Amino acid sequence: MTDAAVVHIEREDGVAVILVDNPPVNALGEAVRRGLVEAIAEIEADAGIVAAVLACAGRSFIAGADIREFGKPPVPPFLPDVVAAIENCAKPVAAAIHGTALGGGLELALGCHYRVLKADARVGLPEVTLGIIPGAGGTQRLPRLAGFAAAIDMVTSGRRVGAAEAVEHGLADLVVDDDPIGAAVAFVRERAEEGGPHPVTAALPVPEFSEAEFAKAEAAVAKKARGQLSPLRALRSIRNVARMDFAEGMRREREIFLELVASDQAAALRYAFFAEREVGKVPGLDGVAPRPVARIAIIGAGTMGSGIAVSCLDAGFEVTVIETGAEALEKGRGRVTGLYDGMVQRGRIDAAERQRRLGRAAFAVGLEAAGIADLVIEAVFEDMGLKREIFGKLDAVMPEGAVLATNTSYLDVDDIARATGRPESVVGLHFFSPANVMKLLEVVRGAVTAPDVLATAMAVARRLGKVAVVSGVCDGFIGNRILATYRKQSDFLVEEGALPEEIDAAMLEYGYPMGPYAVADLAGLDISWANRKRLAATRDPRERYVTVADRLCEMGRFGRKTGAGWYGYASDRNGAPDPLVREVIEAASAAAGVTRRKIGADEIRSRILAAVVNEAAKVLAEGIAARALDIDMVMVNGYGYPRWRGGPLFEADRRGLKVVLAEVEAACAAGGFGWQPAPLLVELAEKGGTFADYSAGVRL
Ligand code: 3HC
Ligand code: NAI
């Protein structure tokens, strides 16, 4: 008997269809694994069956192991044994794949003798993104089928490939537009009638790949991994294919899998996986229906507006792009089409797709053109007067029920909302640059934003494929507010003796893709200079203030775009330490009466990260973020915080808040006036609590 609930067998004239039915994504939980083993045994025993098809009900083929079971003791039957049972079945088995076949799902398919794919199906081994490696033969079977280069690429990146690429790599025997199960039944019946032998992936000859090619791949993977263990371990396991027989390779793969599944990195990446889905479930929004959105108007087609337009067009929305005059509009159109040209050049889409997407775009001068939209996103200059003027006018232009959004980075969304007669329809949609690429979207909930307006923003964000996190209103919202303390603490370290390149190196070593000074040069120093000038009038003179960035701006050093900033770009386009910057720094230290000292990478990291955690704790306690996971997902998806560390609050919980508090005290002492340990952190540290508990216990 198979497990009736999750695996059934249907018979189609001598071919058995093993149907997995385990919503939502047919994950390979214990019941499915058991059901599959029983189904294969039944098929082996039934003389009336000549072949089998492995297929799934619902929206997708098997999306992999059940991630919820990781971290718990493994329960038999183990997945490698399930794959082996299929591979060793005396009757041919074909996988019929629709939706996505991921992780253990693809490993099962690799164990099948044949694979039939629906044309829009995608397959991949995303295990490294969960901090593990494929644990059911993926690293041993894929190279045998696809060759080493393709296997290394797919396994170490976790990339999903479409049907065309799957064919190229030998992963698909047949691609069909419709009815993959019917096609697989016919296909495998023919193969059975031919009589075999049927291809067994494990028995395929090992392809050629030289030691030098492995070494080159290893260097490339190590560079990209930035401290994450799983991609290199995956490569090591793939390399075993060339060094040992299948059985031994499988044994080693399992060893590495079990070691990694219990690692801190895997726990952090699992947390990130679920947290990314959890952020979309906003406390209090259950059952609130979003308003329908078909057309989106975007006001301002500068850096952000053009990227937002592309993001919306990519997601299938009708878009109207609005500018102030004909010339600005042409420039904006140029930016939008330029982004699509780039995609075509890089082979991401073809020319016909570019035309289809641009065909959904209209370009217009004047706010009146926004009137036909269901949602309007304002992305003009960061100027409160201008934004209020626009929102005031929108009141007259927009139909009732339209959602009015602003992309402001720092300004008070409530203030902007008050410029309209319908502040409940106003919400912040804070995209990150480049808006069509960056995953993060902060959805800023104003004091009176209506629940269905927030729900609409979240629904649109989901369609855009963004990780949308709800933030309350404060200067800089969740992300830029925390970033400001990160930057300030970095500047303190510079004034005390560290050099920008030392700070950047320390943060790179932690796993950030770039250090704060390289990022500043990339973003442009003038933007934060303007922001500092805006805040200067309200800054308490007792606050510690480091003048180096202002001096650099006064010298016209705005970063990469001017060929100089914290680094010089004349000799090295990636930036090189500049003696002039060092002079400015040393002068600033002397003027502040600070005796410079050598500061090690550990102290740099400890101080900067403590500042981040401390501000995050304040953001949480103030209810600007509802849960610790919201803050973690902002930092991971928008600010380069290493995903394999989960996020600053997850990492703080892991390390223990007592230890973290001691570091925060040191960072605050260096900050001086205005820097205090967050009361929430102090309280949790004293009670032995965690940020995760706080979010679960108090806010939800
Ligand atoms: N295990 C447990 N739950 C899973 C899951 C999995 N592998 N994959 C998805 N889910 C859950 C999600 O948490 C979500 O639950 P919720 O509704 O309670 O929030 C629900 O299924 C739907 O998921 P999504 O919201 O992500 O749905 P989408 O349609 O947007 O995406 C997907 C579907 C592409 C399958 C995506 O969920 C995904 O990428 N899943 C993870 C795939 C993966 O990493 N597989 C490898 C697992 S490791 C493995 O197989 C080890 C093996 O080598 C031994
Ligand atoms: P930008 O200067 O590149 O573009 C602004 C555009 O708005 C210009 O093309 C201008 O012609 C247009 N514009 C001005 N007044 C207008 C009006 N009345 N009607 C229609 N169009 C008008 O500015 P950028 O960088 O795109 O920033 C826009 C907004 O997005 C700002 O609020 C900024 O703070 C925010 N933001 C910027 C980010 C960035 O990295 N640049 C990141 C996230 C948010």
Side-chain angles (χ1 to χ4, degrees):
M1 272 294 290
T2 59
D3 187 319
V6 290
V7 180
H8 336 255
I9 295 183
E10 291 166 7
R11 289 173 171 73
E12 290 195 22
D13 199 13
V15 177
V17 176
I18 308 168
L19 199 67
V20 178
D21 187 2
N22 186 27
V25 294
N26 292 312
L28 284 163
E30 184 258 332
V32 174
R33 297 197 302 273
R34 192 159 30 83
L36 287 173
V37 170
E38 288 169 3
I40 291 293
E42 200 173 316
I43 287 161
E44 292 268 26
D46 188 336
I49 293 177
V50 297
V53 166
L54 173 62
C56 289
R59 68 192 208 220
S60 174
F61 195 77
I62 296 164
D66 188 335
I67 302 170
R68 290 185 169 85
E69 286 185 359
F70 293 161
K72 300 178 189 156
V75 180
F78 304 123
L79 195 54
D81 301 330
V82 182
V83 180
I86 293 176
E87 191 164 55
N88 297 330
C89 181
K91 298 166 187 176
V93 184
I97 297 174
H98 75 291
T100 46
L102 298 177
L106 179 57
E107 291 177 300
L108 274 175
L110 295 177
C112 291
H113 307 100
Y114 304 102
R115 284 154 298 276
V116 175
L117 261 64
K118 191 158 179 275
D120 58 1
R122 297 171 75 74
V123 304
L125 292 171
E127 283 86 345
V128 293
T129 63
L130 292 166
I132 56 176
I133 69 165
T139 66
Q140 303 303 296
R141 287 192 181 86
L142 189 61
R144 288 177 158 87
L145 205 54
F148 280 105
I152 290 171
D153 167 40
M154 279 180 69
V155 177
T156 62
S157 71
R159 197 166 66 82
R160 290 157 202 195
V161 306
E165 208 180 329
V167 171
E168 214 176 285
H169 298 328
L171 303 180
D173 300 285
L174 179 67
V175 175
V176 293
D177 286 329
D178 206 14
D179 188 18
I181 299 182
V185 167
F187 183 88
V188 80
R189 178 180 287 123
E190 274 175 35
R191 300 290 84 76
E193 281 163 5
E194 285 166 9
H198 306 290
V200 169
T201 311
L204 292 175
V206 173
E208 292 293 320
F209 210 63
S210 68
E211 280 299 308
E213 285 170 303
F214 274 122
K216 200 169 150 213
E218 187 168 349
V221 171
K223 188 159 177 244
K224 262 180 73 182
R226 288 198 290 263
Q228 190 182 330
L229 296 173
S230 54
L232 276 169
R233 295 303 183 83
L235 180 63
R236 189 188 299 172
S237 188
I238 290 174
R239 203 170 181 161
N240 286 342
V241 172
R243 294 183 169 173
M244 54 192 73
D245 67 18
F246 181 77
E248 184 59 13
M250 284 295 289
R251 205 182 58 72
R252 300 279 182 94
E253 180 194 80
R254 187 78 184 159
E255 242 171 49
I256 300 174
F257 171 83
L258 289 174
E259 176 207 322
L260 287 181
V261 106
S263 68
D264 286 340
Q265 290 197 1
L269 286 161
R270 280 199 294 278
Y271 162 78
F273 176 85
F274 288 115
E276 244 161 41
R277 282 152 184 79
E278 206 56 32
V279 289
K281 297 169 192 159
V282 181
L285 270 197
D286 263 1
V288 177
R291 300 180 187 177
V293 174
R295 179 172 287 274
I296 299 177
I298 294 155
I299 304 174
T303 311
M304 292 309 290
S306 53
I308 296 169
V310 168
S311 176
C312 295
L313 290 168
D314 286 351
F317 287 106
E318 304 283 328
V319 170
T320 302
V321 178
I322 295 170
E323 265 288 348
T324 43
E327 200 181 317
L329 188 64
E330 276 324 294
K331 277 195 186 148
R333 189 200 299 269
R335 284 189 200 99
V336 173
T337 52
L339 287 170
Y340 278 117
D341 292 342
M343 286 187 219
V344 173
Q345 268 160 26
R346 286 192 304 275
R348 294 263 316 279
I349 56 171
D350 60 19
E353 185 55 30
R354 170 188 183 278
Q355 274 319 101
R356 256 193 301 280
R357 295 190 193 180
L358 279 170
R360 289 193 287 271
F363 293 84
V365 171
L367 291 186
E368 294 68 29
I372 55 165
D374 311 297
L375 162 68
V376 53
I377 305 174
E378 166 278 310
V380 304
F381 308 126
E382 186 78 338
D383 178 306
M384 181 55 97
L386 177 61
K387 290 195 195 270
R388 283 183 56 91
E389 184 192 323
I390 288 175
F391 274 76
K393 288 185 185 158
L394 282 177
D395 225 1
V397 170
M398 300 307 293
E400 216 187 289
V403 171
L404 318 181
T406 171
N407 181 47
T408 181
S409 312
Y410 290 95
L411 301 178
D412 185 337
V413 172
D414 290 328
D415 222 2
I416 296 173
R418 278 190 290 270
T420 76
R422 37 178 141 162
E424 71 288 348
S425 292
V426 176
V427 67
L429 283 180
H430 183 212
F431 288 81
F432 290 73
S433 183
N436 57 317
V437 176
M438 292 291 286
K439 284 297 246 183
L440 180 63
L441 180 62
E442 281 180 324
V443 175
V444 185
R445 177 183 211 160
V448 297
T449 303
D452 67 336
V453 168
L454 193 64
T456 308
M458 295 304 285
V460 168
R462 184 166 169 87
R463 238 184 103 183
L464 297 180
K466 302 292 183 193
V467 174
V469 179
V470 174
S471 168
V473 176
C474 65
D475 204 71
F477 315 122
I478 297 174
N480 281 347
R481 173 170 161 182
I482 294 173
L483 177 68
T485 57
Y486 173 118
R487 293 300 321 271
K488 276 187 197 161
Q489 192 65 228
S490 308
D491 284 0
F492 297 159
L493 287 157
V494 164
E495 196 181 63
E496 288 167 39
L499 292 169
E501 56 272 24
E502 290 169 346
I503 293 183
D504 280 356
M507 299 319 285
L508 240 58
E509 218 177 294
Y510 187 72
Y512 273 89
M514 286 172 95
Y517 295 102
V519 171
D521 274 0
L522 194 64
L525 271 59
D526 47 332
I527 297 173
S528 36
W529 192 28
N531 202 40
R532 284 195 301 278
K533 286 186 202 162
R534 175 174 73 88
L535 297 173
T538 51
R539 190 167 38 240
D540 193 304
R542 290 169 293 178
E543 264 182 43
R544 181 171 177 188
Y545 186 80
V546 179
T547 55
V548 179
D550 292 349
R551 293 291 96 79
L552 296 177
C553 287
E554 285 158 13
M555 293 160 76
R557 299 179 70 111
F558 291 162
R560 277 176 188 250
K561 61 186 169 192
T562 57
W566 286 96
Y567 295 95
Y569 295 87
S571 58
D572 180 348
R573 65 184 190 86
N574 292 319
D578 187 331
L580 211 60
V581 175
R582 197 170 176 151
E583 270 176 36
V584 173
I585 291 173
E586 285 172 357
S589 304
V594 178
T595 309
R596 295 181 64 77
R597 65 185 172 93
K598 180 87 196 137
I599 304 179
D602 285 339
E603 185 180 347
I604 290 173
R605 279 190 289 269
S606 152
R607 289 246 315 255
I608 290 180
L609 294 162
V612 166
V613 172
N614 197 42
E615 194 63 20
K618 292 180 185 171
V619 165
L620 186 59
E622 288 169 27
I624 298 296
R627 303 158 293 193
L629 63 88
D630 290 303
I631 297 174
D632 283 340
M633 289 308 98
V634 165
M635 300 320 286
V636 165
N637 287 290
Y639 294 85
Y641 193 93
R643 188 181 172 86
W644 54 267
R645 293 185 186 272
L649 295 183
F650 181 85
E651 178 81 342
D653 279 349
R654 187 187 69 76
R655 295 182 60 225
L657 297 189
K658 277 206 167 65
V659 179
V660 172
L661 178 58
E663 292 174 358
V664 164
E665 280 163 350
C668 288
F673 179 82
W675 285 73
Q676 290 101 19
L680 175 63
L681 171 61
V682 175
E683 183 194 324
L684 291 174
E686 275 168 7
K687 282 203 298 215
T690 61
F691 289 115
D693 281 348
Y694 174 79
S695 50
V698 178
R699 303 293 317 180
L700 294 181

